[in-house]
């Protein structure tokens, strides 16, 4: 995928005027920039990740404590969805929110409490969680987006703190307060598929459980929806707002409404992810959902992966999860994992202006240039 | 001829400073009216009042007979008032084509109607207008260039293109040639004249180069300290002693 998905089809970035017959490189770009290719690549990536990251390293002799494990991969996809939605706001609209824990967290609580009291159907939990996040995003966006820049960031942070404390104490009887919500009852999918079970006929070397299939499907859906949004006029408008808000208003665009919509959309992705998180963990820990550090984590993940790219944030989630869950368990250095993460973050930001994905893109362009070069 | 724009007793105060002082300006359809006056006379303020970027202190503004004082800037654009900025206000990291494309979409669907799951290429009318606009401002061959990489003069042309792509009936141009080289200025002036003829535009032009003003204008309004001190065809204004007095301190125009 190109760095700027929305512009890929018609831009060729800053290349010289192109002649009519497409080079190998251009043909390749055209192929890989359409939606079914994006979907196919995502499916492939999701399908092969467990084998490549979990099974293979162990078979090659990597000690298992240094290797990925299935649940961590699932968790990475969940955070990847969260980050993908967050990047719609940060990377494509240029709005820095420090309150996205609200949407991830309230959706988690809503889905969890709903499962305990109404039904544990995973799809119903997702629906309830996502709608909750959308509603929250609507209200908080409506208020916070009246101010720009740093004020917007501070307002979202303040809302995040407020909601954290509301869930911690006044609503403690319902939410479980500092212990988190422990009554989550995840049921089976469509009443038949237990998400914890292995998938029949599929070797565990590839997929360990239905949970991974379920979350993987959500990831693929998220990528396709994200891709669609970015290639619709909407995507162009969001980038225009990022580039020059005043100009966007003066071509007749209702900037405020578009920003609100971007905020709500990214809230919806966060809600989907937060619901999946609860489905995976069967528990809503308050510190991992509504605490402001979650709002910080999602910024770090998105920037690590590369703002303004569709796939970057997913890779950022992978790197973050690896450091937070694997490196943290390593002897000697493990207890310094926060510091290690900080160093990684600084290194990436200092040396890769467009994050990990930007570097992947850059490498790919060099290779493509080498291939297409002789045809030019 | 009918008035496309009319301001009635328009006043704008910044603290104690009266930047717009009971301005009554009427622009007829198809005219090119120039607004001149010394630095700080209130030209940009008047333009910003019309676009609703600034809230007036008193008075009213009518566009095509309807009051527009309660509208938001984007709504004013939707009604048909476009603005080209004093600086090259473009979308720097997007391509030239995307710049114009966004403006076309603004005109078509700005008040938030389009489908966010539908591909951009499935709006052929918008696509066509984008290309027509780029043709009109002479940037079609550079449509794939990133806007930030254009030379300054071309950025300004793109800026004008963006204003045009939103299909205005009235185009407000605040110093479109500011910062341009003589050649760039020349070609921009020609562009403005062509546009007015071909696209049936009404233009309100703020310009400091008197040679340009006197050659392109149908009518000139002279602002000084917020009020209009003279108004009329170029030759009339040129001979007006109060204009020479106030505006140029007595120097021959
Ligand atoms: N936002 C503002 N706040 C305070 N004073 C302003 C503001 N904008 C313009 N002014 C003042 O109003 C007067 C008119 O300014 P302006 O309309 O920019 O003049 P012009 O465009 O004719 O050079 C000037 O004295 C200027 O300092
Ligand atoms: Mg000015």
């Amino acid at each position: 995928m190109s760095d700027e998905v929305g512009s890929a089809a018609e831009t060729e970035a800053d290349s010289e005027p192109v002649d009519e017959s497409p080079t190998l490189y251009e043909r390749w770009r055209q192929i890989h920039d359409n939606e079914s290719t994006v979907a196919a690549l995502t499916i492939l990536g999701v399908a092969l990740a467990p084998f490549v990251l979990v099974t293979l390293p162990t078979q090659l002799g990597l000690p298992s404590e240094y290797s990925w494990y299935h649940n961590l991969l699932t968790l990475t996809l969940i955070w990847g969805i969260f980050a993908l939605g967050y990047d719609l706001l940060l990377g494509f609209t240029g709005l820095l929110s420090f309150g996205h824990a609200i949407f991830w967290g309230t959706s988690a609580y809503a889905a969890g409490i709903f499962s305990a009291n109404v039904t544990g159907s995973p799809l119903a939990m997702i629906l309830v969680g996502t709608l909750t996040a959308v509603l929250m995003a609507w209200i908080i966006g409506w208020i916070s987006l009246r101010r720009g820049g740093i004020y917007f960031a501070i307002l979202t942070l303040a809302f995040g703190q407020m909601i954290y404390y509301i869930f911690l104490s006044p609503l403690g009887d319902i939410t479980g307060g500092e212990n988190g919500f422990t009554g989550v009852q995840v049921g089976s999918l469509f009443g038949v598929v237990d998400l914890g079970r292995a998938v029949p006929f599929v070797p565990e070397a590839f997929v360990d459980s239905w949970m991974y299939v379920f979350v993987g499907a959500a990831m693929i859906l998220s990528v396709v929806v994200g891709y669609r949004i970015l290639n619709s006029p909407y995507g162009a408008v969001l980038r225009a707002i990022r580039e020059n808000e005043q100009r966007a208003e003066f071509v007749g665009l209702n900037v405020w409404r578009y920003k609100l919509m971007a905020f709500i959309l990214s809230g919806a992705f966060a809600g989907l992810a937060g619901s999946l998180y609860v489905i995976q963990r069967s528990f809503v820990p308050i510190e991992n959902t509504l605490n402001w550090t979650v709002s910080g984590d999602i910024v770090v993940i998105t920037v690590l992966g590369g703002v303004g790219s569709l796939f970057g944030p997913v890779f950022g989630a992978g790197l973050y999860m690896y450091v937070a869950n694997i490196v943290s368990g390593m002897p000697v250095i493990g207890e310094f994992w926060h510091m290690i993460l900080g160093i990684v973050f600084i290194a990436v930001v200092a040396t890769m202006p467009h994050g990990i994905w930007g570097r992947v893109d850059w490498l790919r362009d060099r290779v493509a240039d080498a291939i297409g070069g002789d045809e030019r | 001829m009918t008035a496309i724009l009319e301001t009635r007793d328009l006043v704008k105060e910044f603290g104690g400073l009266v930047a717009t002082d009971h301005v009554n300006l009427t622009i007829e359809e198809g005219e090119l009216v120039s607004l001149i006056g010394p630095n700080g006379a209130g030209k940009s303020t008047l333009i910003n009042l019309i676009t609703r970027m600034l809230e007036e202190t008193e008075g009213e503004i009518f566009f095509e007979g309807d009051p527009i004082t309660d509208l938001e800037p984007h709504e004013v654009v939707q009604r048909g008032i476009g603005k080209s900025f004093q600086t090259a206000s473009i979308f720097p990291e997007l391509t030239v084509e995307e710049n114009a494309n966004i403006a076309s979409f603004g005109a078509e669907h700005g008040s938030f109607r389009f489908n966010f799951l539908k591909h951009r290429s499935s709006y052929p009318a918008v696509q066509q207008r984008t290309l027509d606009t780029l043709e009109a401002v002479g940037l079609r061959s550079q449509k794939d260039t990133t806007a930030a990489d254009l030379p300054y003069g071309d950025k300004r042309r793109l800026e004008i293109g963006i204003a045009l792509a939103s299909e205005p009936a009235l185009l407000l141009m605040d110093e479109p040639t500011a910062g341009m080289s003589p050649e760039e200025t020349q070609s921009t002036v020609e562009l403005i004249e062509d546009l007015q003829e071909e696209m049936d535009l009404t233009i309100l032009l703020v310009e400091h180069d008197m040679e340009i003003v006197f050659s392109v204008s149908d009518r000139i309004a002279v602002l000084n300290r917020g009020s209009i001190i003279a108004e009329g065809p170029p030759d009339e204004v040129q001979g007006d002693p109060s204009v020479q007095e106030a505006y140029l301190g007595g120097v021959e125009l």
Side-chain angles (χ1 to χ4, degrees):
Chain A
M1 286 353 75
S2 100
D3 208 10
E4 295 260 310
V5 183
S7 63
E10 59 267 339
T11 51
E12 303 292 283
D14 20 299
S15 67
E16 58 276 33
V18 284
D19 52 16
E20 292 304 316
S21 67
T23 64
L24 195 60
Y25 171 63
E26 283 153 4
R27 257 179 291 155
W28 186 66
R29 277 222 125 159
Q30 276 162 13
I31 297 167
H32 94 203
D33 279 323
N34 72 44
E35 184 178 315
S36 32
T37 316
V38 168
L41 282 174
T42 314
I43 292 171
L44 200 68
V46 167
L48 291 182
F51 182 75
V52 173
L53 292 172
V54 181
T55 309
L56 206 56
T58 318
Q59 281 179 356
L60 293 176
L62 186 75
S64 63
E65 64 266 33
Y66 296 162
S67 169
W68 286 78
Y69 47 91
H70 287 285
N71 278 348
L72 184 60
L73 221 47
T74 310
L75 187 65
T76 296
L77 291 186
I78 292 171
W79 274 86
I81 293 171
F82 187 9
L84 195 154
Y86 187 76
D87 195 32
L88 282 181
L89 197 64
L90 177 62
F92 288 95
T93 319
L95 285 170
L96 177 62
S97 157
F98 270 123
H100 261 51
I102 299 167
F103 314 121
W104 162 269
T106 53
S107 69
Y109 274 97
I113 293 169
F114 180 80
S115 77
N117 295 297
V118 187
T119 160
S121 152
L123 290 177
M125 286 172 73
I126 286 178
L127 189 69
V128 169
T130 308
L131 286 178
T132 305
V134 164
L135 186 69
M136 295 300 293
W138 203 303
I139 297 167
I140 288 167
W142 197 82
I143 299 169
S144 308
L145 285 166
R146 280 161 204 282
R147 301 301 305 270
I150 188 76
Y151 297 102
F152 167 75
I154 300 284
L155 276 171
T156 53
L157 181 65
F159 273 113
Q161 289 298 77
M162 201 173 88
I163 285 164
Y164 171 77
Y165 286 110
I166 290 173
F167 274 62
L168 192 63
S169 183
L171 292 180
D173 287 346
I174 307 167
T175 62
E178 63 184 19
N179 298 323
F181 184 75
T182 50
V184 180
Q185 297 285 338
V186 181
S188 50
L189 188 62
F190 309 121
V192 287
V193 180
D194 180 351
L195 291 176
R197 287 269 176 78
V199 184
F201 311 117
V202 179
E204 204 182 318
F206 284 90
V207 171
D208 76 317
S209 67
W210 281 109
M211 181 66 76
Y212 185 77
V213 177
F214 188 61
V215 171
M219 166 56 81
I220 293 158
L221 184 76
S222 300
V223 168
V224 169
V225 170
Y227 182 84
R228 283 247 173 146
I229 292 171
L230 294 177
N231 283 285
S232 74
Y234 206 87
V237 169
L238 295 187
R239 285 182 299 132
I241 291 172
R242 176 192 73 193
E243 300 274 301
N244 189 340
E245 190 174 326
Q246 188 188 56
R247 215 348 162 182
E249 178 84 20
F250 278 94
V251 296
L253 296 166
N254 189 342
V255 169
W256 190 80
R257 286 275 292 277
Y258 283 104
K259 287 208 267 191
L260 180 60
M261 204 59 206
F263 195 75
I264 293 169
L265 275 171
S266 91
F269 279 90
L272 168 62
S275 312
L276 289 170
Y277 180 71
V278 171
I279 292 170
Q280 192 205 15
R281 293 201 61 174
S282 288
F283 169 50
V284 189
I286 190 161
E287 296 305 325
N288 292 333
T289 52
L290 283 174
N291 195 299
W292 69 273
T293 54
V294 171
S295 299
D297 291 342
I298 197 63
V299 180
V300 169
I301 285 173
T302 307
V303 172
L304 270 181
V307 289
S309 64
L310 188 60
F311 283 95
V314 182
F315 285 80
L319 182 59
Y320 186 98
M321 289 301 138
Y322 189 81
V323 175
N325 294 282
I326 307 281
V327 175
S328 66
M330 290 181 182
V332 190
I333 59 168
E335 56 182 309
F336 303 115
W337 76 268
H338 279 289
M339 198 180 81
I340 294 170
L341 190 68
I343 293 169
V344 169
F345 185 77
I346 291 165
V348 168
V349 171
T351 63
M352 309 179 187
H354 298 286
I356 303 170
W357 192 257
R359 191 41 60 113
V360 173
D361 233 19
W362 179 84
L363 276 176
R364 210 196 42 205
D365 281 356
R366 293 290 92 64
V367 174
D369 274 352
I371 300 170
D374 49 38
E375 285 192 27
R376 287 213 165 179
Chain B
M1 286 217 282
T2 50
I4 191 165
L5 184 87
E6 188 185 351
T7 69
R8 283 191 205 152
D9 277 327
L10 200 58
V11 176
K12 176 68 188 175
E13 292 174 10
F14 293 111
L17 179 91
V18 186
T20 306
D21 191 359
H22 295 88
V23 168
N24 291 291
L25 180 68
T26 304
I27 299 176
E28 309 288 339
E29 222 173 291
E31 269 190 316
L32 196 161
V33 177
S34 287
L35 192 59
I36 62 172
N39 256 337
K43 305 179 295 289
S44 295
T45 303
L46 183 55
I47 299 259
N48 291 338
L49 285 169
I50 297 169
T51 63
R52 308 313 300 144
M53 198 145 85
L54 288 175
E55 196 63 41
E56 79 287 347
T57 310
E58 267 175 48
E60 282 176 300
I61 307 168
F62 294 85
F63 179 66
E64 292 175 337
D66 301 318
I68 57 168
T69 15
D70 289 335
L71 303 184
E72 298 279 317
H74 68 265
E75 292 172 317
V76 172
V77 179
Q78 297 260 316
R79 290 283 179 97
I81 302 182
K83 178 181 173 184
S84 123
F85 283 73
Q86 203 163 355
T87 54
S89 184
I90 56 176
F91 305 110
E93 283 181 34
L94 308 187
T95 64
V96 167
E97 182 176 6
E98 287 172 311
N99 268 269
N101 200 228
I102 283 157
S104 307
F105 269 114
E108 192 101 338
H109 298 276
S111 55
F112 206 74
R113 266 163 296 159
F114 51 67
N115 184 339
F116 59 78
L117 294 178
K118 201 165 155 188
H119 199 279
R120 285 205 285 286
S121 58
S122 45
Y123 295 87
V126 171
Q127 225 57 34
Q128 189 55 47
R129 180 157 67 232
T130 301
L131 295 177
D132 289 349
T133 307
L134 291 180
E135 186 79 57
V137 296
L139 287 173
R140 187 162 171 167
S141 63
Q142 299 175 71
K143 70 184 172 66
D144 294 329
T145 308
T146 304
D149 295 341
L150 290 173
Y152 185 72
D154 284 350
K155 279 188 187 139
R156 297 301 307 268
R157 295 172 81 84
L158 179 59
E159 147 75 26
I160 294 170
I162 292 172
L164 289 175
S166 59
E167 293 207 314
L170 170 66
L171 181 60
L172 311 175
M173 306 182 96
D174 195 349
E175 308 213 21
T177 67
M180 285 190 177
S181 69
E183 299 82 56
E184 287 168 342
T185 302
Q186 185 56 37
S187 77
T188 303
V189 171
E190 280 163 19
L191 175 64
I192 294 171
E193 288 185 301
D194 289 351
L195 288 175
Q196 195 206 2
E197 248 171 63
E198 284 170 28
M199 302 185 82
D200 220 12
L201 269 175
T202 309
I203 296 178
L204 177 61
L205 174 71
V206 174
E207 176 58 59
H208 62 271
D209 183 325
M210 287 307 126
E211 224 176 293
I212 296 176
V213 168
F214 285 107
S215 76
V216 302
S217 309
D218 298 315
R219 216 146 50 83
I220 297 174
V222 187
L223 266 186
N224 191 30
R225 297 195 190 150
S227 13
I228 296 188
I229 56 166
E231 198 184 340
D235 43 349
E236 223 173 86
V237 168
Q238 196 162 13
D240 191 319
S242 72
V243 174
Q244 299 200 355
E245 174 62 36
Y247 183 43
L248 288 172
V251 179
E252 271 296 302
L253 280 178

